[in-house]
Amino acid sequence: MKLDLHYWTFSNPADTAAIGPTLAETARIADEAGFASFTVMDHYFQMDRVVSADEPMLEAYATLGYLAALTKRTALGVLVTGVMYRHPGLLAKIVTTLDVLSGGRARLGVGASWYEREQRGLGVPVVPVAERFERLEETLQICLQMWSDNNGPYQGRHYQLAETLCVPAPLSRPHPPIVIGGGGEKKTLLLVAKYGDACNIFATTPEDVTHKLDVLRRHCDDEGRDYASITKTALYAGRTVVDDPDAFVADAEQYAKLGIEELGVMPDRNPVEFATIVAERILPRLSTIG
């Protein structure tokens, strides 16, 4: 079982001047300890479903560019890019830039954006859910074309590109892994089957994960896609990780049996302290799982 350190908050410590050093030290610990990936959210306001919207939040890709220079091994990605926040041609170029500068460690995490408060607040177009999924599919098609030998035009319902030139090409081969986030059974998991290299769902309960993966398997069968070719990742949404390492490891064993290959864990305290505890007490125990 691999681990992703999902850096979702910049509020601890509270001093703004400490955000950069804390982020850097957490990433260093994760990189040296063997975390498979380091991810951040794609938000401009903190999520008001969880905490106050006016808590600190950094732009995702600038953050990952900073981390690319400070790390050597861990994959870097956004969990997940909101489809409405960047034109898809520019998104492909942004992820390519991250991939080249990190030595081939970028992932494209992408999903249908949902946080309307920040979109309305910052002037991002808010469109119906059905249209967001149409745009998500076109974005996936555009990124794949940008990362292919086809530099020609793209004509979609929502996006039209006269050229899909992307030089330099990513270092990752055949392209940066595409991680599609969300557990929507009719649209999101279908897009995983059609375009994704990996899915990312919420690990709420083993029963829910079993159901979501069964849905994904059926979509793969319908699309003629090899289910085994898709990496299954999940964001751990169960018990506190570091307060009860034994319970977390037991949960990881259950999810591994279901096919989950990577679990995302989220700091619930100072991120440096969190990463240190996970690196010392939990990560070594996961090497035999899966």
Side-chain angles (χ1 to χ4, degrees), residues 224-238:
R225 176 77 185 276
D226 180 7
Y227 173 79
S229 71
I230 297 171
T231 301
K232 289 79 176 176
T233 76
L235 192 60
Y236 184 71

Side-chain angles (χ1 to χ4, degrees), residues 107-110 177-182 188-189 191-193 195-201 216 225 229-233 261-262:
R107 295 178 179 178
L108 169 60
V110 66
I178 296 173
V179 183
I180 300 175
T188 303
L189 293 177
L191 292 176
V192 174
Y195 303 102
D197 298 297
C199 66
N200 186 266
I201 58 178
L216 176 59
R225 176 77 185 276
S229 71
I230 297 171
T231 301
K232 289 79 176 176
T233 76
E261 300 165 64
E262 180 176 302

Side-chain angles (χ1 to χ4, degrees), residues 42-116:
D42 195 19
H43 288 301
Y44 297 87
F45 297 173
Q46 180 57 275
M47 298 180 295
D48 58 10
R49 293 180 180 179
V50 182
V51 293
S52 174
D54 61 3
E55 290 200 12
M57 183 54 57
L58 299 183
E59 195 280 324
Y61 285 100
T63 300
L64 293 179
Y66 173 69
L67 295 179
L70 300 174
T71 56
K72 297 179 180 179
R73 291 173 289 274
T74 186
L76 301 170
V78 178
L79 197 64
V80 289
T81 302
V83 72
M84 294 303 297
Y85 293 154
R86 296 166 191 82
H87 190 285
L90 301 183
L91 175 62
K93 189 67 176 181
I94 290 166
V95 175
T96 298
T97 301
L98 176 63
D99 194 66
V100 169
L101 295 182
S102 67
R105 293 185 286 128
R107 295 178 179 178
L108 169 60
V110 66
S113 49
W114 61 268
Y115 193 6
E116 292 191 8

Side-chain angles (χ1 to χ4, degrees), residues 8 11 22 47 71-72 75 88 136 141 211 219 229 254:
W8 71 279
S11 298
T22 301
M47 298 180 295
T71 56
K72 297 179 180 179
L136 177 56
Q141 293 170 351
H211 174 69
H219 283 311
S229 71
Q254 279 192 289

Side-chain angles (χ1 to χ4, degrees), residues 15 17 20 26 28 42 45 54 70 80 86 93 115 134 138 152 154 156-157 161 166 177 191 220 225 238 244 250 273:
D15 181 7
T26 306
R28 183 195 66 78
D42 195 19
F45 297 173
D54 61 3
L70 300 174
V80 289
R86 296 166 191 82
K93 189 67 176 181
Y115 193 6
E134 292 172 357
E138 289 190 15
Y154 175 89
R157 178 178 179 183
L161 285 69
C166 186
L191 292 176
C220 286
R225 176 77 185 276
D244 193 346
E273 177 188 356

Side-chain angles (χ1 to χ4, degrees), residues 89 92-93 96-97 100 146-148 151 163-170:
K93 189 67 176 181
T96 298
T97 301
V100 169
M146 292 275 289
W147 293 333
S148 74
N151 296 332
E163 298 181 79
T164 50
L165 186 65
C166 186
V167 179

Side-chain angles (χ1 to χ4, degrees), residues 97-159:
T97 301
L98 176 63
D99 194 66
V100 169
L101 295 182
S102 67
R105 293 185 286 128
R107 295 178 179 178
L108 169 60
V110 66
S113 49
W114 61 268
Y115 193 6
E116 292 191 8
R117 176 175 175 176
E118 68 181 352
Q119 293 179 40
R120 297 183 189 281
L122 298 178
V124 176
V126 176
V127 302
V129 173
E131 181 177 332
R132 291 207 306 268
F133 278 97
E134 292 172 357
R135 289 176 178 267
L136 177 56
E137 182 161 20
E138 289 190 15
T139 294
L140 292 164
Q141 293 170 351
I142 289 167
C143 287
L144 286 170
Q145 183 167 325
M146 292 275 289
W147 293 333
S148 74
D149 294 331
N150 180 2
N151 296 332
Y154 175 89
Q155 294 294 323
R157 178 178 179 183
H158 301 286
Y159 301 109

